[in-house]
Amino acid sequence: MSLLSDLESRLEKLIEGVFSRAPSRVEPMDIARFLRKEVKDGKRQGAGRVRAPNFYTIALSSSDHQHIKSLGGAVTTELENYLELEAGNQEVEYVGEARVVFADNPDLKAGEVDIVAEIKTDSEVASALAAVNRGEVVPGVAPPMAPPVAPVPDPTIVIPDPDESHHTHKSAEDSGYVLVDTGSNDVYDIPLWGAMIGRSRWADVSVPSLGISRQHAQIQFEDSRIVIEDLDSTNGTNVNDSRVTSQELSIGDEISIGELKLVLKRKQGHNR
């Protein structure tokens, strides 16, 4: 079982029946996927070690912040445990404990996540947490930047800084691309941040089939490319009848997952 699938199972047990997925709303699994990318993008090598940020300030819109807060502190604990496991998975070290704090940013729209990833020692973590508990403004949280102009929208905006990784994720904005189920003709929009395909109720393309893993494959934008990555699924992912672990996609490519067949297409009215 992958780390994300294991996390999802634990979250479902914690908050079963509390909510159902709603469009343009951030859920814990969305945040987990963003955190995995933050660990990967934040790697820094030096003195024979590979380190990653260990303190993550996650700013949400007021409505999303209230939603995550309503799920209870166990969600924060599970995300922190996931970060510790992800460090081993990505072979990185943290300077201090992996910690997650949430902040309300009224400048964000529903579905947007603004993350500041920092490297902090244990004493710095304790100081930052004390500031949060006192209700002080969390340092480093800034309004999101405007999305860059590119042939294919990049779901992550990076402010270059040697000491800090600051990413804005948009989980609901339209990318201009869709996946079309060749069997049912169902059409699935691909959000700007990408799309996860799986059996999970949290999946962007949710298909209740036992031949599909809960977290089966992820489509994401990397610069001007559209890439699909198999998430250590049981039955694998095929593109144009070839088994792949990671593959750049082109318009018209057919993705096969068990009996499910999806074709990547441009959305009508988009000429990117």
Side-chain angles (χ1 to χ4, degrees), residues 21 25 27 36 44 47 65 73 88 96 98 112 117 174 181 189 194 196 203 225-226 229-230 245 266 270-271:
R21 186 176 181 93
R25 187 171 75 179
E27 301 292 0
R36 182 178 68 167
R44 288 168 173 74
H65 183 262
E112 293 182 344
D174 186 10
D181 186 332
D189 289 333
M196 194 267 286
R225 304 185 307 149
I226 307 174
E229 177 185 358
D230 184 84
T245 55
R266 277 197 180 92
H270 287 259
N271 298 313

Side-chain angles (χ1 to χ4, degrees), residues 79-209:
L79 290 173
E80 290 173 345
N81 291 338
Y82 169 71
L83 281 170
E84 294 288 353
L85 294 172
E86 191 60 39
N89 188 49
Q90 296 197 31
E91 299 182 340
V92 299
E93 295 180 7
Y94 296 137
V95 172
E97 293 182 352
R99 301 304 295 264
V100 169
V101 296
F102 290 98
D104 184 344
N105 187 338
D107 292 321
L108 292 174
K109 299 177 182 178
E112 293 182 344
V113 182
D114 191 24
I115 296 180
V116 177
E118 303 169 283
I119 294 177
K120 289 183 180 291
T121 64
D122 285 340
S123 61
E124 290 172 331
V125 167
S127 177
L129 290 175
V132 172
N133 291 333
R134 290 193 300 267
E136 298 177 3
V137 176
V138 180
V141 178
M145 297 176 62
V149 177
V152 176
D154 188 342
T156 302
I157 302 154
V158 181
I159 301 174
D161 189 314
D163 300 317
E164 179 177 274
S165 175
H166 182 137
H167 291 177
T168 296
H169 306 265
K170 293 194 173 185
S171 63
E173 191 168 328
D174 186 10
S175 70
Y177 294 87
V178 297
L179 294 170
V180 179
D181 186 332
T182 61
S184 65
N185 289 323
D186 287 341
V187 178
Y188 301 92
D189 289 333
I190 302 178
L192 188 61
W193 67 274
M196 194 267 286
I197 305 169
R199 198 173 75 248
S200 163
R201 63 175 176 175
W202 276 298
D204 301 288
V205 181
S206 181
V207 182
S209 170

